[in-house]
Amino acid sequence: MIKKILVGALTLVGLFLIVALFLPKKVSVTRSIIIGAGALDVYNKVADFNYYKQWNPWSQMEATAKNSISGNPKEVGHSWSWDGDKVGAGSLVIEKLESGKSIQSKLTFTRPMQAVASDRWLFEYQGENTRVTWTYEGEMDYPIGRYFGLGMEGMLGPDYEKGLANVKKMCEGN
């Protein structure tokens, strides 16, 4: 009986590890919105972390989380860090900018789990409007992270949609 239980448990562990080998190593979540404002106006709000509490869905989820902003807005090295019970802890540091066109930041999570990802924004003129695209990209650790990655679209996508809707409201003055 014990031998059967042991063989069954080892088989399940083996299957878990083998399946994880074939799951995606990278995960990407992207959302876009059209905002009735100029690309530079929208860019200036997103590239300045002093505005994040106004639109960021996680800041709204836990308004009492500790936040720290350092560096000069709209410059490489500008950073925002947070620490809260619901939102965990981490930081976002601007690594590359193209004024009015794009922002690339390093996103580091330290709690409840450790991870590093890329946070990218693109701003594209479309007449009097701007198409704003927000993308998360990260690598998932083997084996558990790869299973976790299967749910990233469903977990992160709605928050990105809410954040973009908040940016739209802020930039359009609604």
Side-chain angles (χ1 to χ4, degrees):
M1 180 69 156
I2 292 175
K3 185 177 178 181
K4 287 182 181 183
I5 292 172
L6 186 58
V7 168
L10 289 174
T11 301
L12 288 175
V13 169
L15 280 171
F16 178 83
L17 295 173
I18 290 170
V19 169
L21 285 171
F22 297 98
L23 295 177
K25 293 178 184 179
K26 294 184 178 187
V27 66
S28 178
V29 177
T30 299
R31 293 293 188 273
S32 293
I33 196 167
I34 303 295
I35 297 177
L40 189 57
D41 292 335
V42 181
Y43 166 90
N44 283 334
K45 297 277 191 319
V46 176
D48 183 345
F49 294 136
N50 292 295
Y51 287 100
Y52 263 50
K53 281 194 126 184
Q54 292 180 40
W55 66 265
N56 184 292
W58 301 286
S59 292
Q60 294 173 352
M61 180 189 311
E62 186 175 3
T64 59
K66 295 176 193 168
N67 291 280
S68 175
I69 298 170
S70 64
N72 295 320
K74 300 176 272 182
E75 289 185 11
V76 170
H78 184 48
S79 69
W80 172 53
S81 59
W82 66 91
D83 189 351
D85 294 327
K86 294 179 187 174
V87 296
S91 65
L92 185 62
V93 180
I94 295 176
E95 295 185 312
K96 188 176 177 183
L97 296 156
E98 190 173 350
S99 186
K101 295 183 180 179
S102 66
I103 304 166
Q104 183 169 329
S105 300
K106 179 179 181 181
L107 179 58
T108 305
F109 299 99
T110 55
R111 188 175 45 79
M113 58 196 328
Q114 295 184 353
V116 176
S118 175
D119 184 77
R120 286 195 335 262
W121 291 80
L122 295 175
F123 308 90
E124 302 168 279
Y125 280 107
Q126 293 191 334
E128 295 181 14
N129 299 315
T130 301
R131 174 178 288 284
V132 179
T133 303
W134 188 12
T135 301
Y136 168 94
E137 288 183 332
E139 291 196 21
M140 306 309 287
D141 290 334
Y142 173 83
I144 295 178
R146 296 204 187 160
Y147 283 98
F148 186 73
L150 295 173
M152 287 296 284
E153 181 71 35
M155 288 185 298
L156 200 53
D159 288 336
Y160 270 38
E161 291 167 9
K162 182 177 179 183
L164 286 168
N166 290 341
V167 169
K168 178 180 177 81
K169 186 184 294 186
M170 179 178 64
C171 290
E172 293 179 351
N174 296 334

